[in-house]
Amino acid sequence: MRAVGEDASLTQNQKREKMKQIHEASRPQVQVILTPEQQQKFAQMKEEAKERRGEQKDKEQSDQPPR
């Protein structure tokens, strides 16, 4: 992930897409090694992170001056 983030030959969108692909490829590998309890906790953590991202986007939009 760090290498992708530091790759100056990629645009922001390309970096975002490449990181998304890495996440999607690693997700099944992680799920296989987790216990059912850990899978549940992991799902909860992902949901909480998703909510925080939504709150962050809302805050960023409200911080922008009207056009």
Side-chain angles (χ1 to χ4, degrees):
M1 290 296 216
R2 181 175 291 159
V4 173
E6 295 173 353
D7 188 342
S9 69
L10 299 174
T11 66
Q12 275 304 115
N13 286 339
Q14 289 170 324
K15 289 177 185 182
R16 191 174 297 119
E17 184 60 33
K18 195 163 205 154
M19 288 185 185
K20 182 179 175 182
Q21 290 171 355
I22 292 169
H23 276 282
E24 289 174 358
S26 65
R27 197 169 292 140
Q29 296 170 350
V30 170
Q31 290 296 321
V32 168
I33 62 173
L34 297 179
T35 66
E37 283 181 352
Q38 291 170 329
Q39 289 176 357
Q40 184 178 18
K41 178 69 174 181
F42 188 65
Q44 179 184 355
M45 290 169 55
K46 287 192 315 186
E47 188 61 35
E48 290 170 358
K50 184 178 177 181
E51 290 172 7
R52 283 192 304 273
R53 285 192 305 272
E55 291 171 4
Q56 182 66 27
K57 283 184 181 180
D58 291 344
K59 183 180 183 321
E60 288 172 1
Q61 289 176 355
S62 66
D63 287 346
Q64 294 180 1
R67 293 183 184 193

